[in-house]
Amino acid sequence: MGEPEDYWTEVRDRWSRVVSAVDNSGAGHPGGGRVSIAETTRRPTGDIIPVLVAGQRGVGKSALYQALLGDNGYIRRRDEDHVPHRLVLGAGRRQAHVTLVVSPGQTAGGDYSSGDVDKWDAMLKPPNHPTGVIYVAAAGYDEPWDPREVNVLEERRQRRQNELRRQVEARLWEQWQASLDGTPTEEERRDRAEQIAREVDEAIPSPSEQLWAQNRNVELEHFSRFCQNLLPCWVDNPAAKDLWLVLAVTKADLYWTDQLGQVEEYYLPGADGEPTSDFQRQLVTLIRAFGHRNRPRLAVLPVAGRRQDYRFIPGVGEKQAMFDDMKFAAVQRSLRTTVGEFCGLGS
């Protein structure tokens, strides 16, 4: 592994290559992928690479797993417990054998705030550590599982919106009062009240932006807890080697046209490795725990498990899927190529 600055430059370059591949899809790029991934019942001829897919509930872990297999149709329902999938990765004559486990979605708690932590213990306690981890993030486009969850999340969003409105309005009134030399007339108060109402409306993020931010906050809490479990498994375990982490920022078909830059700024640290968002800060903390040597290979990738419009409730969070067949194939090809490379099939 290179120097720290080279490390993060490589991570950023990989993201940029995916963006370029998607934006230039249809310009002679092949629709298939160089790396193939398929389930198998054959006995492996070499070492087996254990891989864990994790992420907050509702982010699309099942869809992403089937995208790895090139199966973008019906999303099969997973069993409640860890079920190992035996996979063979191929690139030309080279092969790698993988045992991949997709963490089940958590059973939701009464308030649907975070639910139970994923059942990670089976693979996050030495010596049963994963060599590779695919952590699935959703840029705020988590998919609620039932109407009750939608209602609870919307009530929480509205409470936070009302509190934010009260705070902004109080601050604007205080600023106006402090600027006065005397007692304002009733007409001046009415005029100022109308102006403050407009300024509050302008200052408050849209309901959709509030929802995405709320979901990202829950995701950050989940990722932080996952890192706390992963650190002793990787950093303090002498048997852990050839490690890699793919941060798969899914739902790219929803955020590509108008939010791609925001998503990049939230998840992807700069070339100097200095974090500028809370999620970046947690990711950088995880990587720096290894020091300058023996760092895991890292990729932060925009991906899409399947194309699907998003609608939280009417008028909140509504987005249409933007990818055509070739853009969809491009992000999935990049994901398979990266996983294959990290599993030893070359760059």
Side-chain angles (χ1 to χ4, degrees), residues 180-200:
L180 297 176
D181 294 329
T183 302
T185 65
E186 287 300 317
E187 182 178 0
E188 288 174 331
R189 282 188 171 276
R190 286 194 300 270
D191 291 343
R192 183 54 185 160
E194 293 177 359
Q195 184 177 352
I196 284 179
R198 291 191 297 270
E199 292 179 4
V200 169

Side-chain angles (χ1 to χ4, degrees), residues 134-250:
I134 302 174
Y135 189 90
V136 186
Y141 289 101
D142 308 55
E143 184 177 357
W145 287 2
D146 62 54
R148 292 174 299 166
E149 186 172 0
V150 172
N151 292 338
V152 169
L153 294 174
E154 173 59 11
E155 289 173 3
R156 179 177 297 129
R157 184 200 64 79
Q158 289 187 0
R159 286 198 303 270
R160 290 179 177 175
Q161 174 181 273
N162 293 338
E163 178 59 27
L164 181 58
R165 292 188 67 91
R166 286 193 292 269
Q167 292 175 359
V168 173
E169 184 174 359
R171 175 174 54 81
L172 291 174
W173 276 114
E174 289 175 3
Q175 291 175 347
W176 184 63
Q177 293 282 1
S179 68
L180 297 176
D181 294 329
T183 302
T185 65
E186 287 300 317
E187 182 178 0
E188 288 174 331
R189 282 188 171 276
R190 286 194 300 270
D191 291 343
R192 183 54 185 160
E194 293 177 359
Q195 184 177 352
I196 284 179
R198 291 191 297 270
E199 292 179 4
V200 169
D201 288 339
E202 294 173 356
I204 301 300
S206 71
S208 294
E209 292 170 330
Q210 294 170 33
L211 172 68
W212 298 326
Q214 177 175 286
N215 288 344
R216 287 196 303 267
N217 287 338
V218 175
E219 176 184 88
L220 174 62
E221 179 184 351
H222 186 280
F223 183 61
S224 298
R225 284 182 291 161
F226 181 77
C227 290
Q228 290 172 7
N229 284 269
L230 185 62
L231 273 171
C233 171
W234 272 7
V235 177
D236 301 333
N237 182 5
K241 59 181 180 179
D242 300 324
L243 306 173
W244 56 266
L245 169 65
V246 172
L247 175 61
V249 188
T250 193

